[in-house]
Amino acid sequence: MPEIAVGAQIFDLIFHPTHSTIYTGLLTGHVKAYAYNEQGNHKRTFSLRPSKRSCRSLTIDEDGSHLYAVGKSRALNIIDTVTEAIDTRVGAHDAPINRIKYLMPWLLSTGDDDGVIKLWDPRQKECTRTYNQHFDYITDFLWLDDKKQLVATSGDGTLSVMDVRSKKPEPFAQSEDQEDELLSIAAIRGGAKVVVGTQIGILSIFNRSSGWGDCVDRIPGHPHSVDALCALPSSIPDVDTSNTILTGSSDGLVRAVKVLPTKLLGVVTDHGEWPVERIAIGGGANSQLTLDDDSPSSGDNVDRRKQKDKQNDEEREYPGHPNQGRGRWWAGSVGHEEVLRMTDLEAFFYEQHHGGVEDVEGDLGDGGDHIDAVEISDAESTEQPEIPEADSDSSDESDAPKAKKRKRKPEKDPFVVKKKKGKNTVEADPTFFDGL
C-alpha cells in the first residue's frame, strides 16, 4: 500500500478527475499536489500556500482546471492547476470555513463553523445566496444532480436540502433533530437513498421517496464515530457499487460496507491510532503525467516494487475485467497524521471475491442484517516499503508524533471466520454490530 509523506497533518484530499494527481490541504495552509503511477510511485508536482492558516477543505471542477481551497482564514481560494495562479475572495465567510463542494459549472457551495451555507459563482466576487437554517458547523455536502439539490449535514443533528434553482433563502426540506452530530454523507442505490454517518457510530439511512423528515433505518456497528463516507465508482469489478460504501471511523479503520442487506466486506486500510478524517477515490485513467523511474520520491526499491507489481498485475488478470488497460482505482485516506495512504481498490475487492475474506452474516434484525466485526492481526499485516519524509516547507509545521501500529488482541470466542492466508486475513468478532 503506497504512502505519501507530506510533512504536515492533512485535513482534506481530492483526486484530479482525469489525471493521476492527488491534491492535499494541510494544517500549515499549504496545498500540495502529487502525481502517481499504477505502481503507486509518486512525486510532488507543486506546493502552494494560499494562506498561513489551515486549509480544511478542497474541491475541484469537472475538467480539473481549477482547484478550490477554504479553511480557517475564512477566504475562498481559486487555484489554477496549470499556471498555479491564485485568486482569493477575502472574507468569504464571517467564520472559519469547514467544507466546500463543486456542484456544477460556475456553482460552488461553502459551509462554515457557524452553520452558514453560501452558494458561489466563481466568476463573481460576492456569493449568490446565503442559507442560515443550521446553528452548528457544516460537516459535509452531497450533490443530487437529478434534482439540482444540495444536501448538507451539520453538527446540530439535522440535515437540510436546498434547491439551487429556487431563489428562496429557505431550504427545500430539513430533517428532524437526529439527537446526534451528523458527520458525513454519501448516496447509494443510484441516489435513491442516502447514508449519513454519526458521532455514535450509527449509519442512518434516508429514503428520498419517503421525504427528508427522518431516517427510515439505522445501522449500528461502528465502535466509534463515522467521520467519512465515500461512494464507489460504478466500474469497479466484483462488487455491487450501487450499494457499497467506504467508511472512515475514529478507530482508525477504513471499512468496505455493503448496505441493505448489511454486510462487512473487509478492512481496506488501517491508520493505527489516528482517526480517519477524509476518504476520496480517484483513478487517472486518461493521465498524461509520467514519473521518472529514478525520481527521489520513488525510493531505493523502485525496481523491486515495479517487478512485484508487474507480477501482481499478471496474476490479477481475468476475463471480463471492466477496468483492464484503464489504470487502477485508488482510495486515498487521511487521519491526524502526516501521511496520505493509497489503497488499490480493484485489488482489494478482487481478493475478497476470489478467495480472500469470506462474507460474514448474522441474523436479521429490525430493518437490517447483522454485521460481525473484523480486526487485523499485527502478525498478519503486510510490511510497507519505507517512504522518504517530505521536506518541511515551514518552521511552524506540526511536530505531532508519528503514528504507531495499534495492537489488537482478538477476543476469545469460538466463532471464527474461515480464512485463507493473505494480507487481508481477518478474524471476526460477533459483538461488532450487536444491537439490531
Side-chain angles (χ1 to χ4, degrees):
M1 179 178 62
E3 297 180 355
I4 302 176
V6 301
Q9 180 181 333
I10 309 170
F11 276 14
D12 201 7
L13 75 162
I14 193 165
F15 285 85
H16 192 285
T18 56
H19 293 172
S20 297
T21 303
I22 187 169
Y23 303 92
T24 57
L26 308 184
L27 172 66
T28 57
H30 287 88
V31 175
K32 294 184 179 182
Y34 294 87
Y36 58 90
N37 60 15
E38 290 190 5
Q39 287 73 39
N41 303 322
H42 64 274
K43 66 178 179 182
R44 193 171 70 186
T45 56
F46 73 66
S47 177
L48 305 174
R49 197 179 190 185
S51 170
K52 293 183 179 181
R53 312 194 79 175
S54 61
C55 176
R56 294 185 178 181
S57 186
L58 298 171
T59 193
I60 196 167
D61 57 17
E62 57 189 358
D63 62 1
S65 60
H66 292 88
L67 182 70
Y68 305 91
V70 295
K72 198 171 182 179
S73 66
R74 309 178 185 182
L76 169 61
N77 301 292
I78 305 173
I79 302 172
D80 189 308
T81 57
V82 177
T83 65
E84 303 180 17
I86 304 175
D87 182 15
T88 301
R89 307 281 191 274
V90 179
H93 280 251
D94 294 330
I97 307 173
N98 197 52
R99 296 297 287 166
I100 185 170
K101 178 75 172 178
Y102 174 84
L103 308 180
M104 58 183 183
W106 311 121
L107 187 62
L108 306 168
S109 64
T110 54
D112 66 23
D113 284 356
D114 290 340
V116 176
I117 298 171
K118 292 187 178 184
L119 300 182
W120 298 85
D121 183 338
R123 298 169 296 184
Q124 302 177 13
K125 293 294 183 181
E126 301 296 330
C127 70
T128 59
R129 199 167 308 143
T130 302
Y131 299 92
N132 295 284
Q133 64 268 17
H134 294 288
F135 60 84
D136 206 345
Y137 71 114
I138 302 301
T139 57
D140 206 357
F141 285 124
L142 174 66
W143 174 242
L144 302 174
D145 189 63
D146 58 339
K147 294 292 185 180
K148 298 297 184 287
Q149 292 176 344
L150 174 67
V151 186
T153 55
S154 172
D156 63 12
T158 67
L159 64 78
S160 61
V161 184
M162 293 144 282
D163 190 332
V164 301
R165 298 170 296 184
S166 173
K167 296 183 179 180
K168 297 180 180 179
E170 295 83 20
F172 169 77
Q174 187 168 8
S175 73
E176 300 175 359
D177 187 357
Q178 302 298 297
E179 300 180 352
D180 190 18
E181 292 185 17
L182 308 184
L183 303 179
S184 50
I185 186 169
I188 59 172
R189 301 285 181 87
K193 296 179 183 291
V194 168
V195 183
V196 177
T198 66
Q199 179 68 34
I200 60 175
I202 299 290
L203 294 178
S204 298
I205 310 298
F206 286 80
N207 191 334
R208 291 174 61 184
S209 62
S210 302
W212 297 96
D214 201 359
C215 62
V216 297
D217 206 348
R218 290 162 61 87
I219 303 175
H222 289 79
H224 299 282
S225 62
V226 183
D227 299 328
L229 292 175
C230 189
L232 298 179
S234 59
S235 61
I236 297 181
D238 298 325
V239 62
D240 179 6
T241 56
S242 67
N243 207 28
T244 303
I245 57 175
L246 301 185
T247 67
S249 178
S250 57
D251 66 355
L253 299 181
V254 176
R255 297 172 173 87
V257 178
K258 186 176 181 181
V259 183
L260 302 177
T262 306
K263 185 183 297 183
L264 179 63
L265 302 182
V267 174
V268 177
T269 188
D270 186 353
H271 284 258
E273 297 178 347
W274 305 100
V276 180
E277 293 289 340
R278 295 283 188 270
I279 307 172
I281 296 177
N286 300 321
S287 174
Q288 298 175 355
L289 298 175
T290 58
L291 291 171
D292 297 329
D293 290 343
D294 57 353
S295 172
S297 61
S298 300
D300 296 331
N301 300 320
V302 171
D303 293 335
R304 185 173 58 185
R305 292 208 306 268
K306 288 175 65 177
Q307 183 178 1
K308 183 177 179 181
D309 287 328
K310 183 179 180 181
Q311 180 181 354
N312 290 339
D313 289 340
E314 294 174 353
E315 293 174 354
R316 288 169 47 227
E317 291 181 358
Y318 57 95
H321 197 300
N323 212 31
Q324 282 184 346
R326 296 183 58 250
R328 300 176 177 176
W329 286 110
W330 293 96
S333 55
V334 296
H336 291 176
E337 53 188 331
E338 301 179 1
V339 173
L340 163 64
R341 298 178 185 270
M342 302 268 285
T343 305
D344 187 343
L345 278 183
E346 185 181 330
F348 169 78
F349 286 113
Y350 178 77
E351 290 183 7
Q352 309 304 308
H353 187 75
H354 296 269
V357 179
E358 294 186 4
D359 294 329
V360 182
E361 290 185 273
D363 298 330
L364 288 172
D366 298 331
D369 291 347
H370 181 79
I371 300 182
D372 293 305
V374 299
E375 301 209 326
I376 296 180
S377 170
D378 290 334
E380 296 163 346
S381 61
T382 305
E383 261 187 55
Q384 304 301 326
E386 293 184 1
I387 302 295
E389 293 288 340
D391 293 335
S392 176
D393 293 308
S394 171
S395 59
D396 60 352
E397 292 200 34
S398 173
D399 292 326
K402 304 299 180 182
K404 297 181 179 179
K405 188 70 178 179
R406 183 172 67 255
K407 295 183 179 179
R408 297 189 179 87
K409 297 181 179 179
E411 295 183 7
K412 296 180 179 179
D413 195 287
F415 180 75
V416 178
V417 178
K418 295 180 180 179
K419 57 183 183 294
K420 297 182 179 180
K421 292 184 178 180
K423 67 178 181 180
N424 283 316
T425 303
V426 299
E427 294 181 357
D429 180 359
T431 64
F432 182 52
F433 272 78
D434 290 346
L436 284 173

